[in-house]
Amino acid sequence: MDEKEDRTMNNLKEAMKDDAPGHLYPFFWQKGAKPEVLKKYICVMQEQGIKNFCIESRPHPEFLEDGWWKTMDLILSEAKARNMHVWILDDDRFPTGHAAGKVPVGLKRHYLAEHCYDYISTGSEAEFDLSAPCGAKELMMNRKHSQDRVIACIAVSRDVTKNKGIVTGTEIDVTEHYHNKLLRLRLNPGTWCIQVIYDTVCSQGRGVEDYLDPMRPEATDVLIDQIYEKHYSHYSQYFGNTIEGFFSDEPSFGNATGRHEIIGRSDMPLPWNEEVQKQLKIRGIDNKEMGFLFLGEGDRPAACRWIYMDVITELYKKNFTERIGTWCKKHSVIYVGHVIEDDNAHARLGAGPGHYFRSIAGQDMAGIDIIGGQLVPGMNYQHDAFSTGGSDGEFYQYALCRLGASAAKLDPKKNGRLMCEAFGAYGWIEGLKMMKWITDHMLSHGVNNIVPHAFDPAEFPDSDCPPHFYAHGMNPQYPYFHVWANYADRLCRLFSGGVKEARVGILYQNAFAEWSGDTMMIQKPCRVLQQAQIDSDIIDEDYLKEAKLENHRIVINQCSYDVLLVPGCKKLPEQLIERLNKISESVRIYAIGEAPAGLKIETIELDEIPDSLKNLTSVHTNKKVPYMASYHYLVSDGSAWMFTNEDLIESVDTDVTLDSREKLVVYDAMKNQTYQLNADYNSNSVRFHLHLNPYESLVLAEGQTSHIRDEKAEEVITIGDGFTIKMKRYNEDEFHVIPETKVCDLSTEYESFSGTIKYSFHLSLNNIRVMLQLPEVYEIAEVEVNTKSCGVRIAPGYLYDIEAAAVIGDNTVVITVVNNLARALRDPFSAYIPMEPLGIVRPIQIFKKANLSH
């Protein structure tokens, strides 16, 4: 390395080292495979660039029994010998909270439910049989309702003009009239609703009724004792070295199944225990107001719901996530994982944890997941995913990673680290090409640790949430997996140890506002800011409580914000209103569309945000490029940028000016090579032209290099015929020649083909300074000239420098093309995305190289 290159920022130097620590921890599923199979899998993982993995019982048939410990003995011994590091998923199955089936009855989940008995009073005494407070239908469907216990009985006047309408202010606590499972009372003539509030063990969640109550510390201790302590007792010598940490997968309240369960608007039981009841009473909610958790409109019902959600999410934070995190810290391991964030569930009940930031407070990394067709290339709108009934593409593309990146940045414990579980349950349709697009999205939005999903040693093909990366050698793309793995790992290292630039904060009012009523989703402002190349962070109210106000900025964990945006809503908690009004005295705060009651700040419309805040970014373009994601990352000795084209149709073509005083290099993480940036450098800025085709990204970093990237000039040869074409299915050992000799979509004749295709031809050259381009090919392509590899491309663009392998005169060219397994296996996960054409579809092009000085 020359003297100029020595001045390159340290993060780039670390990224380019082959022996640097890895940031990929793929799931390694344990279902009882034989020892030789497990050894083989660990070997092939390491051979393809994987340095770590996460052990997951899915489920292992002898979890925590002799068979499990034998499996773990083998895996940990192999990992140590190979200097690999592991995480361990912290339960026998997902979601976390089952505690291997060892949760005592007294520590299992309970719920608060409500049944409304409509009643027309004539003024006479009425008697209600509450032997089954849930109602007869529910009792017949689940006999566990026989354990239900009445908590309160409330009579409230019915508003018959509305479905389940009540007249707020008419509530009467009639609990004292409940005896021996009978309720006797006399009410004034009129239409009434008798709300019976009862404790139950029955939820609407699927398969989680025997799970632990995450709001009780002694229940969390069952999980710690059964999983964490038992692994420590067997493998304490590995803790803090080979065993790096534990992984919680999608713990939740589990009171309902879906992602749209909002308190006060969804018919569902609510998480409940005696401590919740105690805290509600302390905060002013008596029996008479318990019904507001389920029915009612207006300020007081909204306040009661907010108080309830505030209580249970704080209990979850203190007694579950922070309790596990404390144990891990004492035992020299880290605590990682994620909750269900899907479609705004991060701030809701059901499959969600009620409050994203509180739910991961004890973790040493922030965590999210991108699986199951949630984030689909190009689909930044509501779209139909394979089994979830539709996905909010706007949330996944603009808010999901930003949630995690904000927690990673603002919580000192997380030290800027964001983990994303990715790729699982997309189906075999998801090859390395789609993985590269998703990876670029993750990297350019703050992810710097990835848990690929998954390595599955079960017999092939396994229907469990494909794709599976090795699949006993049946995945034809696996020989090229290292191309993706090295690329992702290098960029994770580049974008670690620092903070992303963001001078705009967005209040995380999804939780607080939605608990109380309607609100604008956080992805709305995230989208308009990103499409104007203005980055932002999502700021939770809990961070604002401790924030400093300095030089007209909000300062949290040494990160400062010039502006805070409050997405439009009607209500926010009184304490938060007071804090925001105080902050607004020295810092700019805008409410988007409408300000909640009591908040004395200016309003701004969504479409006005880019122009109003255009000075709060270091990235400036000469035209609108809404599908370009830009990311500016700051470390102690420099900056790095990433620009990604997230559109599948249009190219990014714009001039870019960066607020930077330093020399920049282009970093090609696929080739692990730096190149000079063709740019105009001024005293305070760098200006260059940016062209990105779909699937392409550009990474820049502070530094200097002598290398110049070759570029193509005019086209000299087009080749569309005269090929020898050989095909080998994924489960075959030998290639066979097919009659076709020209490039075309081979799927017409070979609609169920998944595997490898080789195109061979002769190329006559009188000038070897040439480049070969495949204008359209699906989906992995490797070019060999005279038996020398000229590179592998796993996604567009497919441009190859063949000068080093070419000779004047006749050259033998072989192009290897590999598709994914969707055509052959036709798995149901893949059905929601159409299959692409097969092979090289358009003629090959040979270009002269541009005359650039070297």
Side-chain angles (χ1 to χ4, degrees):
M1 183 175 289
D2 62 27
E3 183 180 351
K4 290 183 177 179
E5 289 176 314
D6 283 341
R7 291 201 293 270
T8 296
M9 59 187 288
N10 287 326
N11 268 39
L12 181 54
K13 292 178 182 178
E14 289 298 313
M16 298 181 74
K17 292 180 179 178
D18 291 333
D19 59 350
H23 289 243
L24 310 182
Y25 292 79
F27 281 144
F28 184 22
W29 288 348
Q30 301 307 312
K31 301 181 179 183
K34 295 179 179 179
E36 58 268 24
V37 174
L38 298 178
K39 287 184 178 181
K40 175 66 173 178
Y41 263 71
I42 295 172
C43 177
V44 297
M45 276 194 278
Q46 190 172 53
E47 288 175 351
Q48 288 291 327
I50 296 298
K51 301 175 181 178
N52 320 292
F53 52 87
C54 182
I55 304 167
E56 177 183 0
S57 166
R58 196 159 173 110
H60 190 284
E62 297 183 66
F63 188 70
L64 300 184
E65 299 174 3
D66 287 346
W68 174 256
W69 302 123
K70 289 178 181 178
T71 294
M72 289 295 294
D73 288 346
L74 183 151
I75 292 174
L76 293 175
S77 176
E78 283 288 308
K80 181 179 180 181
R82 296 172 180 274
N83 196 29
M84 301 175 80
H85 299 95
V86 305
W87 296 341
I88 302 171
L89 200 139
D90 65 354
D91 217 332
D92 62 328
R93 66 192 192 194
F94 73 94
T96 290
H98 187 240
K102 304 298 184 181
V103 183
V105 171
L107 297 179
K108 292 181 180 179
R109 296 176 177 182
H110 278 245
Y111 307 93
L112 188 72
E114 179 255 17
H115 187 80
C116 183
Y117 292 80
D118 280 329
Y119 166 55
I120 298 177
S121 173
T122 62
S124 302
E125 184 173 90
E127 184 176 289
F128 296 87
D129 181 359
L130 302 184
S131 299
C134 62
K137 180 181 178 181
E138 286 74 14
L139 179 61
M140 287 188 291
M141 293 178 64
N142 189 342
R143 286 294 171 179
K144 288 184 178 180
H145 275 296
S146 60
Q147 305 172 40
D148 293 351
R149 181 174 60 87
V150 172
I151 299 285
C153 298
I154 303 117
V156 59
S157 182
R158 274 282 273 120
D159 180 353
V160 297
T161 67
K162 299 177 181 178
N163 182 29
K164 296 187 177 181
I166 62 173
V167 181
T168 303
T170 64
E171 310 81 32
I172 304 172
D173 181 6
V174 295
T175 309
E176 64 179 350
H177 301 289
Y178 171 74
H179 300 284
N180 298 321
K181 299 184 178 181
L182 293 175
L183 176 66
R184 295 186 179 90
L185 70 165
R186 186 189 302 270
L187 298 172
N188 292 332
T191 56
W192 291 87
C193 169
I194 308 301
Q195 284 185 280
V196 179
I197 311 298
Y198 60 96
D199 177 301
T200 182
V201 297
C202 302
S203 78
Q204 295 173 359
R206 296 195 188 114
V208 296
E209 288 183 350
D210 289 328
Y211 274 50
L212 63 86
D213 179 355
M215 299 181 292
R216 299 181 63 177
E218 60 270 32
T220 301
D221 286 345
V222 176
L223 178 68
I224 291 174
D225 292 342
Q226 290 297 322
I227 311 298
Y228 292 76
E229 287 283 1
K230 286 186 177 180
H231 282 85
Y232 184 73
S233 68
H234 278 81
Y235 305 116
S236 60
Q237 73 274 22
Y238 288 121
F239 272 55
N241 44 80
T242 301
I243 297 176
E244 282 190 347
F246 285 88
F247 186 109
S248 279
D249 196 21
E250 301 181 353
S252 69
F253 285 113
N255 59 302
T257 298
R259 299 158 294 158
H260 306 290
E261 277 57 45
I262 305 171
I263 187 170
R265 281 180 272 182
S266 301
D267 184 9
M268 61 182 176
L270 302 175
W272 186 251
N273 61 34
E274 292 180 356
E275 182 62 24
V276 176
Q277 186 172 18
K278 174 184 174 182
Q279 291 299 321
L280 292 183
K281 288 184 178 180
I282 290 173
R283 297 180 65 171
I285 299 179
D286 55 20
N287 276 359
K288 185 174 67 174
E289 294 184 319
M290 293 282 279
F292 286 155
L293 301 181
F294 301 91
L295 298 177
E297 299 176 357
D299 289 343
R300 187 55 188 168
C304 290
R305 291 165 196 158
W306 176 82
I307 291 170
Y308 167 83
M309 290 296 295
D310 192 44
V311 166
I312 67 167
T313 54
E314 282 286 0
L315 289 174
Y316 183 108
K317 171 185 174 182
K318 175 184 177 182
N319 296 328
F320 185 77
T321 178
E322 288 188 336
R323 195 171 186 85
I324 295 174
T326 298
W327 186 96
C328 287
K329 184 177 181 180
K330 289 180 179 178
H331 293 79
S332 302
V333 290
I334 63 172
Y335 179 40
V336 299
H338 78 99
V339 294
I340 289 185
E341 311 87 12
D342 308 4
D343 285 349
N344 312 300
H346 57 87
R348 297 171 178 169
L349 296 176
H355 188 293
Y356 175 76
F357 292 91
R358 291 178 180 176
S359 71
I360 63 168
Q363 293 178 193
D364 294 286
M365 294 185 186
I368 58 172
D369 81 340
I370 296 175
I371 65 162
Q374 299 162 337
L375 177 70
V376 178
M379 294 186 182
N380 61 347
Y381 49 85
Q382 185 74 27
H383 60 85
D384 289 330
F386 73 97
S387 65
T388 58
S391 290
D392 181 356
E394 189 174 52
F395 166 74
Y396 291 115
Q397 187 148 336
Y398 299 106
L400 175 57
C401 288
R402 190 164 277 105
L403 265 176
S406 300
K409 179 178 177 179
L410 298 177
D411 183 350
K413 183 190 295 100
K414 294 171 175 52
N415 198 28
R417 296 177 293 183
L418 171 58
M419 179 281 305
C420 183
E421 174 192 329
F423 311 126
Y426 271 78
W428 288 111
I429 195 76
E430 181 192 40
L432 294 177
K433 177 183 177 182
M434 189 186 298
M435 286 174 58
K436 197 265 185 184
W437 190 98
I438 295 171
T439 300
D440 284 355
H441 174 85
M442 291 190 292
L443 293 165
S444 60
H445 288 77
V447 173
N448 49 23
N449 290 271
I450 303 174
V451 175
H453 184 319
F455 282 91
D456 179 11
E459 185 177 346
F460 175 86
D462 185 3
S463 61
D464 186 359
C465 298
H468 309 134
F469 303 125
Y470 178 57
H472 296 278
M474 292 296 170
N475 185 341
Q477 295 195 352
Y478 193 67
Y480 304 97
F481 188 81
H482 67 279
V483 178
W484 171 83
N486 291 334
Y487 171 81
D489 218 351
R490 290 162 184 157
L491 290 180
C492 283
R493 292 199 292 269
L494 178 64
F495 295 117
S496 291
V499 295
K500 69 166 183 169
E501 180 199 48
R503 297 164 61 187
V504 179
I506 301 172
L507 180 68
Y508 180 65
Q509 61 17 296
N510 262 55
F512 297 103
E514 194 176 50
W515 299 344
S516 305
D518 292 331
T519 183
M520 175 186 291
M521 296 290 101
I522 51 174
Q523 51 264 39
K524 296 296 183 182
C526 288
R527 176 176 185 154
V528 298
L529 287 165
Q530 176 176 313
Q531 292 187 333
Q533 286 69 58
I534 304 171
D535 213 335
S536 59
D537 289 328
I538 298 167
I539 300 178
D540 171 33
E541 179 209 12
D542 295 340
Y543 294 135
L544 286 179
K545 291 177 183 177
E546 306 299 327
K548 299 177 182 178
L549 304 179
E550 299 176 356
N551 299 319
H552 304 290
R553 294 186 177 97
I554 300 170
V555 181
I556 305 170
N557 192 27
Q558 301 180 11
C559 301
S560 61
Y561 301 90
D562 295 78
V563 171
L564 180 66
L565 299 176
V566 179
C569 58
K570 296 187 179 300
K571 297 182 180 69
L572 283 177
E574 183 177 344
Q575 304 97 305
L576 180 54
I577 292 290
E578 292 176 358
R579 180 60 174 156
L580 291 174
N581 281 330
K582 180 65 176 177
I583 293 173
S584 70
E585 295 174 3
S586 57
V587 179
R588 281 189 294 165
I589 304 182
Y590 297 108
I592 306 172
E594 65 173 331
L599 188 54
K600 303 170 185 178
I601 58 174
E602 293 183 50
T603 61
I604 189 172
E605 298 302 320
L606 265 176
D607 58 5
E608 297 173 343
I609 290 175
D611 285 340
S612 297
L613 305 184
K614 61 184 177 182
N615 63 318
L616 299 181
T617 179
S618 63
V619 179
H620 313 278
T621 61
N622 69 333
K623 63 173 70 171
K624 292 183 178 180
V625 279
Y627 289 97
M628 183 183 80
S630 64
Y631 186 57
H632 183 198
Y633 198 74
L634 308 169
V635 293
S636 60
D637 67 335
S639 289
W641 285 264
M642 185 169 184
F643 305 93
T644 301
N645 182 3
E646 299 199 325
D647 193 34
L648 295 189
I649 301 172
E650 300 294 330
S651 295
V652 169
D653 198 75
T654 183
D655 289 337
V656 176
T657 301
L658 305 179
D659 296 339
S660 175
R661 300 180 181 182
E662 304 298 327
K663 289 286 186 179
L664 302 178
V665 295
V666 175
Y667 178 45
D668 185 337
M670 287 286 185
K671 297 180 180 179
N672 202 24
Q673 178 65 60
T674 58
Y675 300 94
Q676 292 181 8
L677 175 67
N678 184 12
D680 295 324
Y681 291 92
N682 297 308
S683 58
N684 293 306
S685 66
V686 179
R687 186 173 182 270
F688 61 96
H689 187 76
L690 178 62
H691 183 91
L692 295 174
N693 292 317
Y695 285 90
E696 290 185 339
S697 295
L698 176 74
V699 176
L700 303 177
E702 290 184 10
Q704 298 187 50
T705 182
S706 59
H707 298 105
I708 298 175
R709 184 196 292 270
D710 284 309
E711 297 178 3
K712 65 183 184 182
E714 70 271 17
E715 181 181 328
V716 292
I717 304 174
T718 300
I719 307 165
D721 203 348
F723 298 93
T724 298
I725 305 177
K726 299 178 181 180
M727 304 179 74
K728 180 173 74 71
R729 295 182 183 275
Y730 72 94
N731 55 358
E732 294 178 335
D733 295 325
E734 303 292 335
F735 284 89
H736 60 275
V737 178
I738 64 172
E740 188 61 72
T741 61
K742 64 180 182 297
V743 295
C744 63
D745 182 1
L746 294 172
S747 64
T748 303
E749 295 294 327
Y750 304 93
E751 63 181 18
S752 63
F753 179 87
S754 291
T756 305
I757 310 170
K758 288 185 179 291
Y759 296 78
S760 303
F761 64 98
H762 290 276
L763 176 63
S764 180
L765 295 173
N766 56 20
N767 179 0
I768 63 171
R769 281 188 50 76
V770 293
M771 308 183 87
L772 182 151
Q773 182 157 36
L774 304 175
E776 188 174 2
V777 61
Y778 302 94
E779 62 183 26
I780 295 175
E782 179 176 17
V783 172
E784 294 176 281
V785 177
N786 302 322
T787 72
K788 297 178 182 178
S789 177
C790 297
V792 176
R793 305 287 182 270
I794 63 174
Y798 297 93
L799 181 65
Y800 303 80
D801 185 342
I802 66 173
E803 179 180 358
V807 298
I808 299 295
D810 185 64
N811 294 266
T812 300
V813 181
V814 178
I815 302 175
T816 301
V817 178
V818 185
N819 68 337
N820 57 56
L821 280 170
R823 286 192 172 276
L825 299 186
R826 304 296 173 100
D827 66 285
F829 290 93
S830 296
Y832 73 101
I833 292 179
M835 289 180 286
E836 293 182 320
L838 178 63
I840 301 175
V841 175
R842 290 168 53 194
I844 297 167
Q845 298 168 305
I846 307 295
F847 291 89
K848 285 184 179 180
K849 287 186 179 180
N851 291 320
L852 301 175
S853 60
H854 287 260

